[in-house]
Amino acid sequence: MPQDPFVMSDNPGDDSDASLLVDTRPKTERPKLYKVLLLNDDYTPMEFVVHILEQFFGMTHAQSFEIMLTVHKKGVAVVGVFSHEIAETKVGQVMDFARRHQHPLQCTMEKEE
């Protein structure tokens, strides 16, 4: 009669020792985060940058204006920190929107240290 595969073997030399089942829970790591950056250029209007920040990043007009000034003065600003998928989506949305409106605005992402 074939042995039931779910029953432990009584043979001491049997390597299928089911008595060593241990409840292990995989450690869940926090997802890696990515900074979304806006880069300055000499052609995209400041109002357009403010609009982008309000529309795609949910900032107030005052917050958007401050970030836009930082981009303008320093050449770059972090506009948010997100999981990889969300950061990638936001970069794509901003780049697509800027291209459709014929602006050379650049938006990138980089891994947060």
Side-chain angles (χ1 to χ4, degrees), residues 12-99:
D14 192 354
D15 287 336
S16 63
D17 189 5
S19 66
L20 294 180
L21 291 178
V22 179
D23 182 23
T24 59
R25 293 187 178 159
K27 251 188 178 169
T28 55
E29 286 186 23
R30 295 192 79 129
K32 302 268 188 274
L33 296 177
Y34 291 79
K35 298 184 281 191
V36 175
L37 309 162
L38 273 185
L39 308 175
N40 188 44
D41 64 71
D42 294 330
Y43 304 101
T44 304
M46 292 178 177
E47 300 82 26
F48 186 78
V49 175
V50 169
H51 178 73
I52 290 263
L53 294 168
E54 291 172 349
Q55 182 171 342
F56 295 107
F57 297 93
M59 294 182 187
T60 66
H61 186 75
Q63 291 169 325
S64 299
F65 193 81
E66 284 295 317
I67 297 280
M68 176 276 298
L69 284 179
T70 302
V71 172
H72 182 68
K73 292 176 182 174
K74 295 188 176 184
V76 65
V78 175
V79 297
V81 178
F82 308 96
S83 68
H84 184 271
E85 293 78 17
I86 293 173
E88 195 171 54
T89 299
K90 297 241 182 231
V91 168
Q93 289 173 329
V94 169
M95 295 295 291
D96 182 53
F97 191 76
R99 297 299 158 264

